[in-house]
Amino acid sequence: MESFSLVVASFSTFRFSLRLLQEFGRCSVFPLWSYCVYIFAENSFIFSVRLGKLLGNLPAGSRKLEVIFDNFPGGAYGFELMAMFCYNNGTIEITPSNIVLLNHAAHYMEMDSNSSTKLNLVDQTEKFLEGINYWTWPELLQALKLCQDLLPTTNSSFLLDKVLDCLVGRITLPAMASPFTCSSNISSFQLSCDTRSTCSVRNNWSLTTWWFEDLLVLNVLSFDKVIRMMMSQKLDHATIFRFIVFRLKSGYISVTASEKCKITEVAINLLSLLDRSSLSCRGLFDILQAVSRLKNISKFYPLKLEHLVGSMLDQATLDHLLVPSPHKNHHVYDVNLVLRLLKAFILEGSSMSRNQLRKVASLTDSYLIEVAPDIRLKPSKFAALIMVLPDPARESSDRLYQAIDMYLQVHVQLCEEVKMRLCSFVNHDKLSAEAFKHLAQNSNFPARSTLKSFITQKSKLNSSIHNHLSHAKVSSQSRFHSNAKEEQEEFDQILI
């Protein structure tokens, strides 16, 4: 940590001697530089209320006093700017490159309207900020970076909000193709151009996404603020969504694992504020992949994202669902993820149209065909994928039959009971003439009469269990429930 030693000697004039102190192991002090200013005694503390409080009542007999400022904004350079302001009797050239340090230093040293001078530094910096709309894009980015660096050590985010608001305003200007494009008159003021790249547009950037890469510097707080400002200023939600995806896919610049999790959590929360029509399944699946690489993220956020993706599953494609399994020596694709997405889709309930349901059923059958050849895919998982959607969702059972037939051809070691159960999922009444003819000649499938008998037996058992539970006496209800549950589990174990 950097700290400052302010030494004041009691002479007719006051000498400010600033030494930058650094700690190496034990308290070893290395003076790096010294900066001196001379101010007449009667005017010494008129600019800083904080200095006045500390040193204004210094006893006449004091020989030496040491004051240490921890976390001074901008370190040694920030203190030097403040000292120059005092040395020049309350005047200093304020520019976009130094205003952040000057403003933060002024607040830190309480150089505001409470001081005994009208030339206070806080008012001067805030007056300069009134012209922030004339700053160039690179100047705004430089100010943003400084604000983010200094904010943890200051109590106010006023300047950061001002810079972010101007950045967002610049982005939302309809005539603004890029920060390097000149305009004679935009929103009643003329935007400055970067002299190094005057009137040039960045290659390969569209008119709506030229700013994406520049704003990768946003930290968690600024990222949240910027997205909310964009929404309040009516920026297209589809563009906002593309930026969120771009931010999460582009990695993280000099951030810790904890910060990665925090910015991802913020992004997931922000997605719920966007219009559903502005979201794309491709982008959401990209975010899912980014989230899967974070080990310490709270489980709440991946589940929240999965629920959002599942609610839009009718817009997904087979390629979206073919996510590699995260576990080694497991099935090829992440079947558990797809099951959770399908369940999230079903939870939408009454909000789903018949057309949406059929689209998802067709997508599920395509997925079943894709995963059926996986020798490591257990029958229970394969059956769960089939059963997650109700039978009325499927207009035809042809592709479901194709998936089950493929699964049986690969998994030849299955017992007859398991094969019987899988085959019972095919609704024969929804098979085309060609598929029905193929099934009749398929040795992997039992005869229809055998399947019918199997289904009837299973139905009777389920009915018997239900009757046991519903007609049991109150005194023995727990015992009956336990027996019925064991009976059901035994039967399911035989089948699975």
Side-chain angles (χ1 to χ4, degrees), residues 98 128 242 291 438:
N98 68 17
F128 185 83
R242 287 197 296 272
V291 171
H438 186 277

Side-chain angles (χ1 to χ4, degrees), residues 293-361:
R293 293 190 289 268
L294 300 176
K295 298 184 182 297
N296 297 321
I297 192 170
S298 170
K299 292 182 179 180
F300 169 80
Y301 294 98
L303 290 176
K304 184 176 182 179
L305 179 60
E306 287 173 7
H307 180 79
L308 179 60
V309 177
S311 68
M312 300 177 59
L313 209 54
D314 57 299
Q315 301 176 31
T317 66
L318 179 60
D319 286 340
H320 294 156
L321 298 185
L322 297 178
V323 179
S325 176
H327 309 292
K328 293 182 179 179
N329 302 321
H330 216 295
H331 17 81
V332 177
Y333 297 110
D334 195 347
V335 176
N336 292 327
L337 171 63
V338 175
L339 275 172
R340 293 196 299 270
L341 297 180
L342 287 168
K343 289 175 182 177
F345 175 78
I346 293 298
L347 286 175
E348 290 293 299
S350 58
S351 63
M352 292 184 303
S353 67
R354 188 178 183 85
N355 185 49
Q356 287 176 307
L357 192 59
R358 287 178 174 175
K359 281 183 178 180
V360 174

Side-chain angles (χ1 to χ4, degrees), residues 474-493:
V474 176
S475 60
S476 59
Q477 185 175 4
S478 177
R479 177 172 53 84
F480 277 121
H481 177 75
S482 177
N483 291 340
K485 183 177 180 182
E486 290 175 3
E487 187 179 0
Q488 176 67 46
E489 290 176 349
E490 182 181 358
F491 182 74
D492 286 344
Q493 185 63 33

Side-chain angles (χ1 to χ4, degrees), residues 337-407:
L337 171 63
V338 175
L339 275 172
R340 293 196 299 270
L341 297 180
L342 287 168
K343 289 175 182 177
F345 175 78
I346 293 298
L347 286 175
E348 290 293 299
S350 58
S351 63
M352 292 184 303
S353 67
R354 188 178 183 85
N355 185 49
Q356 287 176 307
L357 192 59
R358 287 178 174 175
K359 281 183 178 180
V360 174
S362 177
L363 178 64
T364 303
D365 288 346
S366 297
Y367 186 75
L368 283 165
I369 293 172
E370 198 68 32
V371 300
D374 184 1
I375 193 65
R376 294 173 179 169
L377 182 60
K378 295 180 179 180
S380 57
K381 291 293 182 185
F382 191 70
L385 284 170
I386 298 173
M387 292 188 298
V388 70
L389 294 177
D391 181 69
R394 292 182 170 90
E395 290 186 288
S396 169
S397 291
D398 284 13
R399 298 175 74 237
L400 177 59
Y401 163 68
Q402 179 186 352
I404 295 175
D405 183 39
M406 190 180 300
Y407 187 83

Side-chain angles (χ1 to χ4, degrees), residues 427-453:
N427 188 336
H428 290 66
D429 295 332
K430 291 185 178 182
L431 289 174
S432 65
E434 182 180 356
F436 195 84
K437 181 179 178 181
H438 186 277
L439 184 149
Q441 301 173 354
N442 192 339
S443 60
N444 288 325
F445 275 69
R448 188 174 186 181
S449 58
T450 307
L451 275 176
K452 187 174 181 180
S453 175

